[in-house]
């Protein structure tokens, strides 16, 4: 059983809301990213999602786009992200999911990528723009290294697409609550609960819901029907604000995750 499966089994057994916390690797720099990873793990993030900075994002909103720009300017890359994770993995208890686009992986080479991700202690990989229909080979290689391929589902996903993601995916399914790009919103999308219900009707896999979630009440609301809430842009913005003020970005990130997990 993978670390992701163990985490979601624990959350379900204890009836606890889960939090997937997203950061961009290398923002504001790689050294600070290492401290941020440890801080949000200590603050209670159940799963940590690490975005690989990419110059041509498709689904990232302005907050994460700016974070990627800062990280790339600071010298971050897929290889350096994996080296960072290898360095800090022993200090982090939570499962780590690498969030990336297919292009950097193909440029590195899938076999080299899988080998380095395995050595770095990566638990799951989400290849955002890789269609489920074309993900079989990547899934086999990752599974062979003990790494879960996390599949993405959206409000427009058909029953057939949900079934395919359930067959190929491992760890959990990532459901995006709304179409468009990432970014904090004032409320959870009205269609989110229906999307999760449609997925649940076809698979017992855990479901994490993301896109637009930014507050403790969003986490609590989402986890009434999903297994976990994904918070990205709001956390990335908190890190950026702290760094701009000259404050400790890792400390600010830890406080933000603690706030997100505040009970009602």
């Amino acid at each position: 059983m993978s670390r992701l499966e163990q985490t979601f089994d624990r959350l379900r057994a204890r009836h606890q809301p889960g939090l997937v916390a997203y950061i961009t690797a290398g923002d504001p720099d790689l050294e600070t990213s290492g401290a941020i990873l440890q801080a949000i793990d200590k603050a209670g993030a159940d799963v940590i999602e690490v975005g690989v900075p990419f110059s041509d994002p498709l689904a990232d909103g302005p907050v994460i786009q700016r974070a990627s720009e800062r990280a790339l300017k600071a010298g971050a890359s897929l290889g350096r992200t994996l080296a960072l994770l290898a360095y800090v993995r022993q200090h982090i208890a939570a499962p780590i999911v690498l969030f990336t686009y297919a292009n950097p992986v193909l440029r590195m080479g899938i076999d080299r990528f899988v080998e380095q991700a395995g050595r770095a202690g990566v638990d799951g990989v989400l290849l955002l723009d890789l269609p489920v229909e074309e993900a079989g080979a990547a899934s086999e290689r990752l599974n062979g290294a003990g790494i879960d391929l996390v599949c993405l589902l959206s409000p427009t996903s058909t029953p057939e697409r949900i079934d395919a993601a359930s067959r190929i995916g491992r760890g959990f399914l990532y459901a995006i609550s709304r179409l468009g790009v990432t970014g904090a919103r004032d409320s959870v999308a009205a269609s989110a609960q229906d999307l999760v219900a449609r997925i649940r009707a076809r698979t017992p896999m855990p479901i994490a819901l993301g896109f637009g979630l930014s507050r403790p009440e969003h986490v609590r609301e989402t986890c009434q029907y999903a297994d976990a809430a994904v918070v990205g842009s709001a956390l990335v913005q908190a890190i950026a604000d702290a760094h701009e003020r000259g404050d400790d970005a890792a400390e600010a990130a830890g406080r933000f995750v603690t706030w997100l997990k505040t009970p009602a």
Side-chain angles (χ1 to χ4, degrees):
M1 181 179 288
S2 72
R3 207 160 10 202
L4 282 168
E5 291 170 331
Q6 290 173 3
T7 296
F8 281 100
D9 280 355
R10 171 179 55 79
L11 291 171
R12 283 181 167 181
R14 298 178 183 178
H15 304 287
Q16 292 178 330
L19 175 65
V20 181
Y22 171 98
I23 71 160
T24 300
D27 177 39
D29 55 67
L30 287 165
E31 182 179 356
T32 305
S33 286
I36 290 169
L37 286 166
Q38 294 176 70
I40 64 176
D41 177 64
K42 186 176 180 181
D46 298 290
V47 176
I48 297 174
E49 191 176 20
V50 180
V52 177
F54 184 51
S55 58
D56 300 289
L58 298 174
D60 294 324
V63 170
I64 294 179
Q65 284 187 32
R66 288 193 293 268
S68 287
E69 291 168 1
R70 291 189 295 268
L72 290 169
K73 187 175 181 179
S77 64
L78 175 57
R80 288 180 176 176
T81 297
L82 291 170
L84 168 68
L85 295 179
Y87 180 73
V88 301
R89 172 76 266 192
Q90 62 180 321
H91 304 296
I92 295 173
I96 293 175
V97 174
L98 201 66
F99 181 103
T100 185
Y101 291 89
N103 186 275
V105 173
L106 294 175
R107 185 174 180 181
M108 175 178 281
I110 185 67
D111 292 330
R112 183 181 170 204
F113 168 73
V114 170
E115 178 188 1
Q116 291 194 13
R119 287 207 310 262
V122 170
D123 298 287
V125 172
L126 199 162
L127 294 169
L128 185 69
D129 55 345
L130 181 66
V132 171
E133 295 82 359
E134 300 174 20
S139 178
E140 288 181 10
R141 285 179 170 86
L142 289 166
N143 290 342
I147 301 172
D148 294 330
L149 177 68
V150 178
C151 291
L152 197 72
L153 293 169
S154 79
T156 59
S157 293
T158 63
E160 293 76 19
R161 176 64 63 86
I162 294 171
D163 291 345
S166 303
R167 286 194 304 270
I168 294 174
R170 298 287 187 276
F172 66 98
L173 294 170
Y174 189 141
I176 62 173
S177 64
R178 63 184 78 229
L179 299 177
V181 297
T182 60
R185 304 290 198 279
D186 291 331
S187 61
V188 180
S191 61
Q193 188 169 357
D194 177 67
L195 170 62
V196 173
R198 290 198 296 114
I199 298 171
R200 285 223 191 277
R202 307 193 71 85
T203 176
M205 286 184 68
I207 302 167
L209 184 76
F211 277 43
L213 311 183
S214 61
R215 302 173 181 173
E217 54 267 34
H218 294 170
V219 175
R220 295 193 294 266
E221 177 184 343
T222 296
C223 290
Q224 291 177 12
Y225 46 86
D227 297 280
V230 185
V231 177
S233 294
L235 174 57
V236 171
Q237 187 64 59
I239 291 168
D241 290 344
H243 181 67
E244 187 174 337
R245 292 192 304 267
D247 294 342
D248 188 320
E251 184 178 322
R255 285 198 308 268
F256 195 83
V257 167
T258 298
W259 175 66
L260 288 172
K261 292 182 69 73
T262 303

